[in-house]
Amino acid sequence: MIHYTAMASCAAAEARLRDPAFEVSAHWLIGRDGEVISLVPEERRAWHAGAGEWRGCRDINSASIGIELDNDGRSAFPGAQIAALEAVLRGIRTRWQIGADGVIGHADMAYLRKSDPGPLFPWGRLHKAGLAVAPPPVIPARGRPLSLAEVIGRLCRFGYRRPEGADESRAMLIAVKDRFLPFWRDAPLLPERGADEPHLVELSGLALALGGAPRPGD
Ligand SMILES: [Zn+2]
């Protein structure tokens, strides 16, 4: 699971992650210059995920390895940092037999509380390297977009916790757009787009790319 520290410096983040009083920890911390710091052995449980759910699992801390990236939450991620992350991910995936679809962001499992690693994180680069799943949307050449319920159903099949009510659905779609459709997240709304979900065409294409052909119950 990938995080950003939302702190001013790597040293400040390391100090906090090593301080028991804060009750927060992660296995790895990666600096903007690509320095990789091991904080918790991978076989030990770290406290980085908190409340949330992914693929039906709610105790994510017991089932994941947490990677913190030194980033203030507003800045781009330097290439050296992402190159170091890619090397760390390759090692983790080999040691623990984790597929590309097992690499997620904090917001993916905790979209009601968290937004890291945020819309500036280069998921597309990881996808191209085979280290994460973030396919470009498949825009249907013909035909109507999926309904919002169909889109949400496919995203939940991919791993997201099923949202309850409009507010949770909106929070989930913000996390989805941050990760998969960052260009559209803040795009100006076209007047012909529906008010409920103006990016339904793009989200449908994403749901098609992630979820494959429709299944009964979608
Ligand atoms: Zn986080």
Side-chain angles (χ1 to χ4, degrees):
M1 178 178 300
I2 297 168
H3 305 258
Y4 58 51
T5 58
M7 294 191 71
S9 73
C10 195
E14 183 178 358
R16 174 166 300 196
L17 289 163
R18 289 188 186 280
D19 186 342
F22 285 99
E23 299 192 334
V24 59
S25 56
H27 298 90
W28 298 98
L29 171 63
I30 303 179
R32 296 174 62 78
D33 59 359
E35 183 189 8
V36 176
I37 301 166
S38 169
L39 295 170
V40 177
E42 288 179 350
E43 61 274 15
R44 302 288 299 273
R45 187 174 185 270
W47 295 353
H48 61 97
E53 183 177 327
W54 185 255
R55 291 199 173 146
C57 175
R58 292 185 179 173
D59 182 10
I60 303 281
N61 279 336
S62 293
S64 66
I65 292 170
I67 305 170
E68 290 278 359
L69 301 177
D70 172 30
N71 181 281
D72 61 8
R74 300 181 300 275
S75 306
F77 295 84
Q81 187 176 36
I82 299 304
L85 170 65
E86 289 174 338
V88 169
L89 284 175
R90 282 195 183 91
I92 291 171
R93 289 189 45 196
T94 302
R95 287 189 289 278
W96 297 94
Q97 284 93 50
I98 296 170
D101 60 347
V103 177
I104 65 171
H106 200 180
D108 290 322
M109 61 76 66
Y111 57 76
L112 295 178
R113 304 184 296 117
K114 296 289 179 179
S115 56
D116 57 316
L120 297 177
F121 183 78
W123 284 108
R125 173 170 163 173
L126 262 54
H127 176 77
K128 285 192 188 121
L131 293 169
V133 174
V138 178
I139 304 299
R142 291 178 285 169
R144 60 176 186 84
L146 305 176
S147 71
L148 191 55
E150 288 169 332
V151 167
I152 288 174
R154 281 155 179 262
L155 292 168
C156 292
R157 208 160 72 204
F158 179 67
Y160 288 91
R161 172 182 164 276
R162 184 164 289 282
E164 293 171 15
D167 287 349
E168 290 193 11
S169 295
R170 208 169 296 122
M172 182 181 120
L173 292 176
I174 286 171
V176 168
K177 289 177 194 176
D178 274 358
R179 173 165 167 180
F180 296 98
L181 304 166
F183 299 122
W184 280 290
R185 184 178 190 248
D186 300 314
L189 306 186
L190 300 174
E192 69 271 22
R193 298 292 185 89
D196 287 347
E197 179 39 65
H199 302 112
L200 191 57
V201 172
E202 292 83 2
L203 286 167
S204 297
L206 173 68
L208 288 166
L210 288 175
R215 291 186 204 166
D218 273 2

